[in-house]
């Protein structure tokens, strides 16, 4: 797929006005206040993985409405000091899979929590273990359209709340330095990490690549691929539902979360990405922290000939080096 979005020189200046509901902050304050009425952690059980250099626990924490959400928590075996924690969010259609699938961060010396995606896990990888008991509102079969006509019922209200609660959960786990908590994700995971950065004011850093849910209105006009295509397909059947859908989507717009974030931020984007168009990533990057009165460290890496895979392992290598410098050394 050739480049199809704005030229790079325009992307670097792309700061679109975002249609933000007047009660955006009140909506999320109320949602998170309800979720925080109980302690985050439910259970932490050690699991045998066959890995001798990594210790892993099966974690259950309370997410949206107190629903149990599963996660894998891993630490380098033998690490005795408090470690910074990387909370990772998985991509669209994935679950947490198996505990030995994601080892980069723990091998780099971090504590690592990989959150399961409620109601997902059946499209890629090795599955998930967290049902979504609230997925009964009108909408199509895919998560991106479940409850689309009401912000209160929308799937991403629940999933974003889970992401915020995952941060609270990891901070209560043994051997974690709560002051050095980092949110990480690609695609849908990047959108969740960005939402967490906008809703949790004291994250140490956020690393996102090709984030979903950024520049949503423009993305729906540009692409029929991936989750945006599911939304377009739903609206092609439910003619006249556009206003309600756009209003719902405005409550989960990643650019709105980015404007409220203040942690140091590292972005990556493929300029031929038709799943999460690059203009959405640049909109979030260019408007990052513009409501907070802060000027956090931030950088973005563009890959002109790559699509949704972005910089892949090259980007991860950059993330590792950048995070090391931001945290000022991993260990006490």
């Amino acid at each position: 797929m050739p480049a199809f979005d704005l030229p790079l020189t325009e992307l670097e200046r792309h700061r679109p006005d975002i249609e933000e509901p007047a009660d955006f902050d009140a909506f999320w304050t109320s949602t998170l206040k309800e979720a925080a009425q109980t302690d985050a952690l439910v259970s932490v059980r050690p699991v045998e993985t066959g890995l001798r250099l990594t210790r892993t626990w099966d974690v259950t924490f309370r997410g949206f409405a107190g629903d149990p959400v599963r996660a894998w928590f891993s630490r380098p075996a033998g690490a005795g000091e408090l470690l910074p924690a990387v909370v990772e969010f998985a991509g669209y259609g994935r679950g947490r899979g198996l505990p030995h699938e994601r080892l980069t961060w723990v091998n780099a010396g971090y504590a690592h929590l990989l959150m399961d995606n409620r109601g997902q896990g059946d499209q890629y990888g090795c599955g998930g273990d967290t049902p979504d008991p609230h997925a009964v509102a009108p909408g199509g079969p895919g998560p991106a359209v479940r409850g689309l006509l009401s912000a209160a019922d929308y799937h991403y209200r629940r999933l974003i709340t889970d992401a915020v609660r995952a941060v609270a959960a990891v901070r209560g786990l043994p051997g974690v330095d709560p002051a050095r908590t980092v949110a990480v994700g690609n695609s849908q995971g990047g959108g969740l990490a960005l939402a967490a950065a906008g809703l949790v004011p004291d994250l140490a850093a956020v690393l996102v690549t090709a984030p979903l849910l950024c520049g949503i209105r423009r993305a729906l006009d540009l692409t029929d691929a991936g989750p945006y295509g599911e939304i377009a397909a739903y609206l092609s059947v439910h003619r006249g539902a556009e206003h309600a859908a756009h209003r719902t989507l405005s409550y989960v717009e990643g650019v709105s979360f980015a404007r409220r974030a203040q942690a140091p931020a590292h972005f990556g984007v493929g300029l031929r990405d038709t799943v999460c168009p690059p203009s959405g990533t640049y909109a979030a990057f260019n408007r990052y922290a513009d409501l907070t009165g802060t000027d956090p460290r931030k950088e973005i890496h563009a890959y002109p000939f790559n699509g949704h895979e972005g910089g892949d392992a090259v980007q991860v290598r950059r993330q590792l080096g950048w995070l090391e410098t931001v945290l000022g050394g991993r260990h006490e």
Side-chain angles (χ1 to χ4, degrees):
M1 167 62 70
F4 75 106
D5 206 336
L6 298 171
L8 181 57
T9 54
E10 294 184 32
L11 289 171
E12 291 173 338
R13 301 190 302 268
H14 186 55
R15 293 176 54 88
D17 291 328
I18 296 298
E19 187 175 309
E20 195 172 287
D23 64 340
F24 181 91
D25 291 310
F27 175 85
W28 284 108
T29 297
S30 174
T31 296
L32 297 179
K33 181 179 179 180
E34 180 180 352
Q37 290 179 353
T38 56
D39 291 338
L41 285 172
V42 175
S43 66
V44 183
R45 297 185 297 103
V47 294
E48 177 55 54
T49 64
L51 301 175
R52 296 293 168 253
L53 302 181
T54 301
R55 295 184 63 197
T56 300
W57 292 261
D58 186 347
V59 170
T60 301
F61 67 90
R62 295 181 180 90
F64 176 85
D67 298 336
V69 179
R70 305 287 291 276
W72 296 122
F73 176 63
S74 298
R75 281 173 51 90
E81 70 271 35
L82 293 178
L83 297 178
V86 169
V87 182
E88 184 176 5
F89 305 107
Y92 189 75
R94 287 186 179 271
R96 65 174 181 166
L98 298 174
H100 59 271
E101 289 186 74
R102 308 243 181 157
L103 298 175
T104 296
W105 294 106
V106 69
N107 277 332
Y110 298 92
H112 178 237
L113 185 83
L114 176 63
M115 187 187 86
D116 205 11
N117 287 324
R118 68 164 61 217
Q120 299 188 32
D122 298 322
Q123 296 185 30
Y124 308 99
C126 292
D129 300 293
T130 303
D132 185 359
H134 307 277
V136 295
V145 288
R146 292 176 189 159
L148 180 61
L149 302 187
S150 166
D153 295 331
Y154 193 37
H155 175 77
Y156 280 108
R157 180 192 182 210
R158 301 188 290 278
L159 199 59
I160 289 170
T161 302
D162 292 347
V164 171
R165 296 292 282 165
V167 173
V170 82
R171 286 174 162 171
L173 289 169
V176 165
D177 180 356
R180 293 184 292 169
T181 305
V182 179
V184 173
N186 300 333
S187 192
Q188 175 184 263
L192 294 177
L194 200 55
L199 295 169
V200 181
D202 59 348
L203 283 178
V206 58
L207 301 96
V208 303
T209 306
L212 185 67
L213 301 176
C214 292
I216 299 172
R217 291 287 291 264
R218 178 174 170 82
L220 286 170
D221 289 338
L222 285 179
T223 184
D224 284 328
Y228 295 121
E230 293 180 17
I231 295 171
Y234 177 85
L235 294 176
S236 74
V237 174
H238 298 274
R239 301 164 182 86
E242 294 92 339
H243 177 76
H246 286 315
R247 178 164 177 78
T248 293
L249 292 166
S250 69
Y251 286 93
V252 300
E253 169 60 60
V255 178
S256 293
F257 292 121
R259 297 176 71 208
R260 290 160 171 79
Q262 49 191 316
H266 188 281
F267 284 72
V269 58
L271 299 188
R272 301 181 181 224
D273 188 347
T274 60
V275 177
C276 296
S279 54
T281 302
Y282 272 95
F285 177 79
N286 291 334
R287 304 208 63 180
Y288 190 86
D290 69 4
L291 289 181
T292 65
T294 62
D295 186 21
R297 174 178 175 177
K298 66 176 185 175
E299 63 184 59
I300 188 168
H301 297 273
Y303 301 92
F305 293 95
N306 290 98
H308 196 51
E309 78 282 7
D312 206 6
V314 171
Q315 176 70 0
V316 173
R317 182 173 61 193
R318 283 175 162 158
Q319 289 177 328
L320 290 166
W322 180 86
L323 188 57
E324 174 77 9
T325 63
V326 166
L327 295 182
R330 292 190 298 273
H331 305 298
E332 293 182 335

